[in-house]
Structure formats: C-alpha cells, structure tokens
Amino acid sequence: MKNIRAQNLEGFLCDWVTSDKPLLAICIGYQVLFESSEESPEEPGLGIFKGKVRRFPSQPGLKVPHMGWNSLQLADSADPAWKDFPEYPYVYFVHSFFPEPEDVDLVAARCDYGVNFAAAIRRGNLTATQFHPEKSQSLGLKLIENFLVQQKTVI
C-alpha cells in the first residue's frame, strides 16, 4: 500500500474497481482491496470492500505460510469464472494471510486450511483470488481464459 500511495495509484485503483472496469487481482492484489490487514495494521488498504486481512492462526500440523495445492469449494459453479472447472478444483496457494470479507455475497470460492477462508471473490468485472492462477497449471490458465472471454463480452 505504501508503494501504491507513493505512486499516486490509490485513487486510480479505487475508481477503476468502483466503476466496474475489468480487474483480475491475485494474492496481495486481492488483499489490498480490503480495509486493513494484520500484516501491516498501521497501513490501511484500499477499503473498496469492508473486511480485514487476517493471519492464519498457529495450529498443530499446519505450516504457515499455506503453500501448495488445495481444493476450492465454489459458491456457484455456474459462475462464468468457473466455466469448465471440476466440482472441487485444486489450485496453488502461497500465503500467510487471507481476507475476511464482511459481505459474504462477494465470496466466489472458499478453501479450508485450518480455517475456512474466502479463496476468491467476484463482483461484476472483478475477479480476485488468494490462490495463484499462474502457478495452478491448466486450471489457472482456464481461469485467466474465462476472465478474458468474459471481458470481451463486456468491453
């Protein structure tokens, strides 16, 4: 967020998202959309969505960061973002923090890693994921393709 503000991008990013222009936000790009983070409590997020980014709690047998493959529970398998996805797709994660959106209607996919967290959100032309599509092999490429195809119908 310090770098975003230092480059005077905060207003631009907020305007972009609130005007429903296409955005695919990945990992920390997803996290900055929220009001605050336990990672840097002194540095507010963009505040586009209400909610806080939390650190995974310490639990026996679970390493933090959450690193590796895990399955998603899709909120709506008919959502165009998930076109041609299996029922429980496996995607690749690398993170120690995860957003907790106040608006549960934003949540497009959830994942379990000691806690059940919002692994992706969707609103209009915004798709934001905690997992890394670029590391998730064919399913990650499919998500990116679905995002681009959806934008062609919008633009």
Side-chain angles (χ1 to χ4, degrees), residues 33-53:
L33 298 172
F34 293 88
E35 298 169 301
S36 64
S37 174
E38 291 178 353
E39 186 170 13
S40 297
E42 71 288 348
E43 192 68 45
L46 292 172
I48 295 168
F49 301 113
K50 291 191 177 294
K52 187 172 189 171
V53 177

Side-chain angles (χ1 to χ4, degrees), residues 30-141:
Y30 169 37
Q31 294 177 6
V32 299
L33 298 172
F34 293 88
E35 298 169 301
S36 64
S37 174
E38 291 178 353
E39 186 170 13
S40 297
E42 71 288 348
E43 192 68 45
L46 292 172
I48 295 168
F49 301 113
K50 291 191 177 294
K52 187 172 189 171
V53 177
R54 302 215 180 266
R55 184 171 180 22
F56 280 109
S58 295
Q59 293 185 29
L62 290 180
K63 295 180 182 177
V64 176
H66 171 211
M67 216 166 146
W69 296 90
N70 208 333
S71 64
L72 300 176
Q73 300 100 43
L74 305 178
D76 177 7
S77 61
D79 185 315
W82 312 127
K83 183 178 185 262
D84 297 327
F85 269 57
E87 186 176 0
Y88 296 103
Y90 271 81
V91 293
Y92 196 83
F93 289 90
V94 179
H95 64 123
S96 299
F97 296 84
F98 59 92
E100 265 187 357
E102 283 186 21
D103 182 357
V104 295
D105 291 335
L106 286 172
V107 179
R110 301 194 74 79
C111 181
D112 285 311
Y113 191 73
V115 295
N116 186 271
F117 66 92
I121 61 169
R122 293 261 295 135
R123 187 184 77 184
N125 291 312
L126 167 80
T127 300
T129 67
Q130 186 59 68
F131 61 90
H132 287 264
E134 78 284 5
K135 295 179 183 292
S136 297
Q137 298 180 358
S138 60
L139 278 182
L141 292 176

